[in-house]
Amino acid sequence: MNTFAMKNWEESVVSGTEGAPRVAYAHATLTYSGLIEGESVLDYLLYYAGEGYDGGDTTSPGLERIEGSVDGRKGSFVIKHDTGFDAQGISSAFEIVKGSGTGELAGITGSGTTTGALGEPTMSYTLEYAL
């Protein structure tokens, strides 16, 4: 099974106020297991439609640099997320940023998804890739 877990999440409002439409910045670190083995650093620019954790049927962009291995090949790469979220959970579609692969992952291309419920210790991902 392909899963990831959040090690930490730091978030701050950059425009607007709590309980109202606002934009926030989030910085997180994650650990991956399954097809991807390793850790990542993720930065999001989030939009909240109002009170609570509702993205208002929009998606928020994020960039994530993953360092570790894919199917046993070591290196790093960057993915670009488009993530939707609400109080129940998240779902995203992502693409590997062209030219971002290093080491044995140089030249990697591909895409995938993430899904999960808020409050759960792990979430799932898919990844289809080519080298």
Side-chain angles (χ1 to χ4, degrees):
M1 178 168 215
N2 296 323
T3 62
F4 66 95
M6 192 159 317
K7 287 179 65 175
N8 80 326
W9 179 272
E10 300 168 13
E11 184 174 329
S12 59
V13 174
V14 295
S15 179
T17 58
E18 285 292 333
R22 64 199 180 279
V23 173
Y25 164 77
H27 178 78
T29 55
L30 309 172
T31 58
Y32 280 82
S33 63
L35 182 62
I36 300 171
E37 293 283 341
E39 293 195 355
S40 73
V41 174
L42 169 64
D43 291 285
Y44 270 121
L45 190 57
L46 303 168
Y47 168 72
Y48 292 100
E51 195 165 328
Y53 299 103
D54 186 358
D57 294 328
T58 66
T59 59
S60 293
L63 288 172
E64 180 176 10
R65 183 177 177 273
I66 300 172
E67 188 164 345
S69 65
V70 175
D71 214 13
R73 295 180 175 146
K74 294 182 180 182
S76 66
F77 59 99
V78 174
I79 60 178
K80 181 187 176 299
H81 290 272
D82 286 309
T83 302
F85 59 93
D86 60 23
Q88 284 69 50
I90 68 160
S91 63
S92 81
F94 65 80
E95 287 191 31
I96 296 173
V97 175
K98 185 176 180 177
S100 67
T102 67
E104 295 175 320
L105 299 175
I108 191 170
T109 60
S111 61
T113 61
T114 64
T115 57
L118 293 182
E120 293 296 318
T122 62
M123 297 185 187
S124 63
Y125 70 89
T126 65
L127 174 65
E128 303 231 354
Y129 75 97
L131 274 169

